[in-house]
């Protein structure tokens, strides 16, 4: 009887949160095919992201680029990040389908999972159309990251699903929140960011709640395994945000530029800044420690 009484508030809370998220979805969901003017030209004199957020900003290679090439690189880097967003959101949709498959579809928290899947379908189309408008051609990920993604979506369980989702969504959210009010940024990018920020706020609340609810039930071995896998996933996601081919497209040597970006304190600071909220959430739960923490640090997500 005692166990039943103590369990009820948790179930109610879970359903109450899902109910609020579903109401929010009904009030503020968008169709990017309708909301965004996809026929409007992309102004080459505007930035796609603040220049200080560009991976080689402040390096000699940055100094060697003309203003025109810097702005082109900004468009290509935003498109590259969006491509990684598509990659991970496709993985996330498959994991959410598995999560829903194992649970009761009449519950509100599962119905919200289906709602989020619908949101992510629209986001991937939106990102894909933006990538094309920004002048980038998608390239298949390197074999290690590609097959790690396939493995992760197949084996990820509760806390890994939602911790991984929270990481990618929080990083994109921080970059996009900064872009929305910035009038030096392309209207296309700001429109995409505005839609994504609005809808991802609900997704992050859902992921945060589901992760915390599941994490406390896991034993020490399961937690150790999760920390390691999460560290690998965050490392391969963060280090693939900028495809080296973007440098080649603006006339730079891709290997030289990749190495310059990897050790660039400005870029490391940007990644640390973008990941700060999810790092805070996961560190509070002791989900970033052991060998897994090494990969977070190596990816430039924990500062210099």
């Amino acid at each position: 009887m005692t166990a039943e009484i103590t369990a009820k508030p948790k179930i109610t809370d879970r359903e109450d949160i899902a109910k609020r998220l579903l109401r929010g979805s009904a009030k503020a969901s968008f169709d990017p095919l309708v909301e965004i003017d996809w026929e409007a030209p992309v102004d080459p004199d505007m930035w796609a992201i603040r220049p200080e957020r560009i991976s080689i900003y402040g390096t000699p290679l940055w100094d060697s680029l003309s203003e025109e090439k810097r702005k082109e690189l900004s468009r290509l880097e935003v498109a590259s990040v969006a491509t990684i967003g598509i990659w991970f959101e496709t993985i996330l949709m498959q994991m959410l389908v598995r999560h829903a498959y194992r649970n009761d579809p009449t519950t509100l928290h599962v119905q919200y999972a289906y709602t989020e899947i619908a949101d992510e379908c629209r986001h991937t189309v939106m990102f894909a159309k933006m990538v094309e408008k920004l002048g980038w051609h998608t390239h298949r990920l390197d074999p290690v990251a590609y097959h790690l993604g396939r493995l992760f979506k197949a084996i990820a369980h509760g806390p890994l699903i939602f911790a991984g989702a929270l990481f990618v969504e929080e990083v994109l959210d921080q970059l996009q929140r900064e872009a929305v009010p910035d009038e030096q940024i392309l209207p296309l990018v700001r429109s995409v960011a505005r839609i994504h920020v609005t809808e991802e706020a609900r997704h992050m609340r859902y992921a945060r709640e589901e992760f915390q609810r599941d994490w406390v039930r896991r034993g020490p071995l399961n937690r150790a395994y999760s920390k390691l896998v999460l560290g690998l996933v965050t490392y391969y996601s963060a280090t693939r945000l900028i495809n080296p081919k973007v440098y080649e497209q603006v006339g730079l040597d891709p290997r030289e530029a990749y190495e310059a970006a990897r050790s660039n304190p400005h870029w490391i600071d940007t990644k640390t800044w973008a990941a700060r909220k999810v790092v805070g959430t996961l560190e509070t739960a002791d989900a970033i420690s052991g060998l897994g923490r090494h990969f977070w640090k190596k990816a430039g997500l924990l500062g210099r």
Side-chain angles (χ1 to χ4, degrees), residues 238-249:
T239 56
R240 269 60 178 178
L241 286 172
I242 308 301
N243 188 310
K245 291 184 182 294
V246 304
Y247 307 124
E248 186 175 24
Q249 197 163 324

Side-chain angles (χ1 to χ4, degrees), residues 195-296:
I195 290 173
H196 200 245
V197 162
T198 300
E199 298 186 340
E200 288 297 330
R202 298 190 293 266
H203 299 179
M204 289 186 291
R205 174 70 188 277
Y206 184 69
R208 197 175 296 111
E209 294 285 342
E210 290 296 309
F211 165 75
Q212 291 170 340
R213 185 176 290 106
D214 202 337
W215 185 250
V216 297
R217 302 203 308 262
R218 302 288 171 167
L221 286 178
N222 193 290
R223 287 191 181 196
Y225 159 79
S226 298
K227 292 175 192 179
L228 176 58
V229 174
L230 182 60
L232 286 168
V233 168
T234 54
Y235 173 79
Y236 279 100
S237 298
T239 56
R240 269 60 178 178
L241 286 172
I242 308 301
N243 188 310
K245 291 184 182 294
V246 304
Y247 307 124
E248 186 175 24
Q249 197 163 324
V250 295
L252 298 175
D253 179 274
R255 290 187 180 182
E256 182 186 7
Y258 176 80
E259 288 302 320
R262 190 170 66 87
S263 58
N264 182 11
H266 293 288
W267 181 231
I268 294 170
D269 288 348
T270 285
K271 289 191 288 184
T272 302
W273 164 80
R276 71 194 188 284
K277 288 189 176 181
V278 66
V279 166
T281 298
L282 297 178
E283 283 196 320
T284 299
D286 189 32
I288 304 177
S289 60
L291 183 56
R293 186 178 182 85
H294 164 75
F295 291 107
W296 283 82

Side-chain angles (χ1 to χ4, degrees), residues 17 24 55 73 147 171 292:
I17 290 168
S55 63
L73 182 59
H147 290 295
V171 168

